[in-house]
Amino acid sequence: MSATGLHRGEARAELIAGAVVLAVAAGFLAWAAQGRWSSGAGYEVTASFPDVDGVAVGTEVRLAGVRIGRVSDIRLNPQTYLADAVLTIPDDIVLPLDSAALIQSDGLLGGAYIQLQPGGSPEDLGPGDEIEDVQGAVSLLQLMLKFVDSQSGDEVAP
């Protein structure tokens, strides 16, 4: 085989390897972005939290531990000084008017998500409605400081 034929074979092998690498990279990109570029079909409700630590646009909204939506916007309400989180809920999920929204942590070092707890009202939340019953993020550092404070106050003086 001539040097030119050997060079063409190497070039073809490099071309095939490059195409395989690009295909694998595109597959990982598609897998990582599942649901992020969906049509956004659904209705939006607002929940005003005193603290949205760990929540950002794109954060999961879960019902019974199942991801059903995402946070589409977060803004400060200048009248109430609360953080208004806009939640996008699919049209096929209808929540009672007295449902609750809680910011939960995935673990000690994990991220946060918003957990919805359905109420028992016969009336339903509609587009643009507000979830009144909310619980903001709980800071683990604040909890630990409270615990240390309470333990230091329990010491008996000699």
Side-chain angles (χ1 to χ4, degrees):
M1 187 171 217
S2 69
T4 307
L6 185 61
H7 180 63
R8 282 187 188 154
E10 289 176 359
R12 181 173 289 149
E14 288 176 2
L15 183 64
I16 291 171
V20 168
V21 168
L22 286 176
V24 169
F28 277 122
L29 182 64
W31 174 76
Q34 322 175 309
R36 292 185 192 246
W37 293 307
S38 64
S39 63
Y43 63 99
E44 292 183 339
V45 295
T46 303
S48 297
F49 293 97
D51 184 6
V52 289
D53 192 29
V55 175
V57 172
T59 296
E60 291 183 352
V61 175
R62 298 181 187 176
L63 181 64
V66 177
R67 181 177 61 89
I68 60 162
R70 295 221 176 259
V71 175
S72 56
D73 190 21
I74 297 177
R75 57 186 172 268
L76 179 67
N77 185 329
Q79 283 80 32
T80 62
Y81 301 109
L82 296 174
D84 291 343
V86 179
L87 316 177
T88 303
I89 311 295
D91 289 324
D92 59 339
I93 297 177
V94 181
L95 294 169
L97 190 60
D98 61 346
S99 296
L102 301 87
I103 297 178
Q104 300 286 329
S105 177
D106 261 339
L108 288 176
L109 301 175
Y113 63 93
I114 295 181
Q115 177 71 33
L116 296 178
Q117 293 180 339
S121 173
E123 297 177 40
D124 296 327
L125 282 170
D129 285 347
E130 182 173 354
I131 297 175
E132 301 282 336
D133 188 7
V134 296
Q135 177 182 328
V138 177
S139 169
L140 291 176
L141 182 60
Q142 288 177 354
L143 287 176
M144 288 173 32
L145 288 174
K146 281 184 182 180
F147 177 74
V148 168
D149 245 7
S150 69
Q151 294 301 314
S152 66
D154 289 345
E155 292 178 15
V156 178

